[in-house]
Amino acid sequence: MLHVFKHEIRLIFRDPRFWIPFIIPPVILAASQGIAVSRYGGQIMEGMEGYMMLLLGCLMAPMGSPLAGDSFAGERERNSLELLQLAPIAPAKLFWGKLLAILPFPVVFAILAQLGYWASHSEISTQVAVASVLGALSAVLLTTSFALIVSLRVRTVRAATHITLFLIVPLLLMVQLGHEAFLSGLLVPVTTLAVSVVLTILATIMSMRKFVSM
């Protein structure tokens, strides 16, 4: 499992394409906020900082889908999945090695982006910041587990990535409609994270069984 993990990490660092999606959301959000402030004045963003921090974390979450899509659909597309399955390593260890190589990237980038935003907006309270980070973690877990399931069921990386990115729309709607209740305390964010962990575990178990039975 450790060998698979190291191999996947080397591939990720070797290919700069995987880094592009993690850079785009913060740049777009900063640019749109700058344009809005320059046109309508700083007062337009008053009271919106917590919402923007939560939005940034949720936008970063699906950006790990190219990594998840390449994990299995990429191997199938390169005709190397069968060779991996014939390798002298248990399928479960192979699966976990790939998963553990994927998950840290969207988690770390989402948290770093949010912490950077918080550092530049000191008016955001600690409670709102913590709620935003918990929301981002929930979104990362759900999108990554969903991307993993999709990657095991489609034949190309492009299809896996495109299907997974459809999650951006419901994520944006949920943030837009429920950010006030979500950021009003820690009960909703903690509950959401707990539900996300449970769903992620179930999805991971399903994905592992699918991979082992292939």
Side-chain angles (χ1 to χ4, degrees):
M1 185 173 68
L2 183 60
H3 176 73
V4 175
F5 172 80
K6 291 180 179 179
H7 175 71
E8 293 296 317
I9 292 294
R10 284 196 297 267
L11 289 179
I12 291 172
F13 277 95
R14 188 183 303 169
D15 194 340
R17 295 176 305 167
F18 290 127
W19 302 104
I20 297 174
F22 295 105
I23 300 173
I24 293 176
V27 173
I28 293 178
L29 198 65
S32 62
Q33 185 172 338
I35 293 173
V37 170
S38 64
R39 285 188 175 183
Y40 306 106
Q43 67 274 9
I44 193 174
M45 294 304 300
E46 290 182 2
M48 296 293 292
E49 293 82 5
Y51 163 72
M52 296 296 287
M53 184 174 174
L54 176 62
L55 178 63
L56 175 60
C58 290
L59 281 175
M60 294 293 292
M63 296 302 105
S65 59
L67 299 178
D70 188 71
S71 60
F72 296 106
E75 297 287 359
R76 184 182 289 111
E77 191 174 2
R78 294 186 292 269
N79 296 318
S80 57
L81 184 60
E82 292 79 6
L83 295 177
L84 282 177
Q85 292 173 320
L86 294 175
I89 181 175
K93 291 183 178 180
L94 179 61
F95 175 86
W96 283 109
K98 283 182 166 290
L99 176 60
L100 293 177
I102 297 168
L103 193 57
F105 288 95
V107 170
V108 170
F109 274 89
I111 293 178
L112 286 178
Q114 286 187 311
L115 291 179
Y117 187 87
W118 187 22
S120 62
H121 295 79
S122 57
E123 62 272 20
I124 300 177
S125 67
T126 302
Q127 179 263 311
V128 170
V130 171
S132 298
V133 170
L134 293 178
L137 290 175
S138 301
V140 166
L141 291 175
L142 291 175
T143 53
T144 303
S145 59
F146 178 74
L148 202 62
I149 293 176
V150 172
S151 180
L152 284 165
R153 297 181 180 275
V154 300
R155 303 194 64 84
T156 65
V157 177
R158 180 178 297 179
T161 302
H162 286 180
I163 293 173
T164 305
L165 289 180
F166 278 119
L167 286 176
I168 292 180
V169 175
L171 272 177
L172 293 179
L173 288 175
M174 290 175 64
V175 172
Q176 180 70 30
L177 298 175
H179 71 277
E180 293 182 357
F182 194 89
L183 298 176
S184 62
L186 292 179
L187 178 60
V188 175
V190 170
T191 303
T192 302
L193 180 60
V195 173
S196 300
V197 169
V198 172
L199 293 177
T200 299
I201 292 174
L202 294 175
T204 302
I205 292 174
M206 291 172 55
S207 299
M208 184 176 66
R209 289 181 175 176
K210 171 68 175 178
F211 178 72
V212 171
S213 63
M214 290 177 66

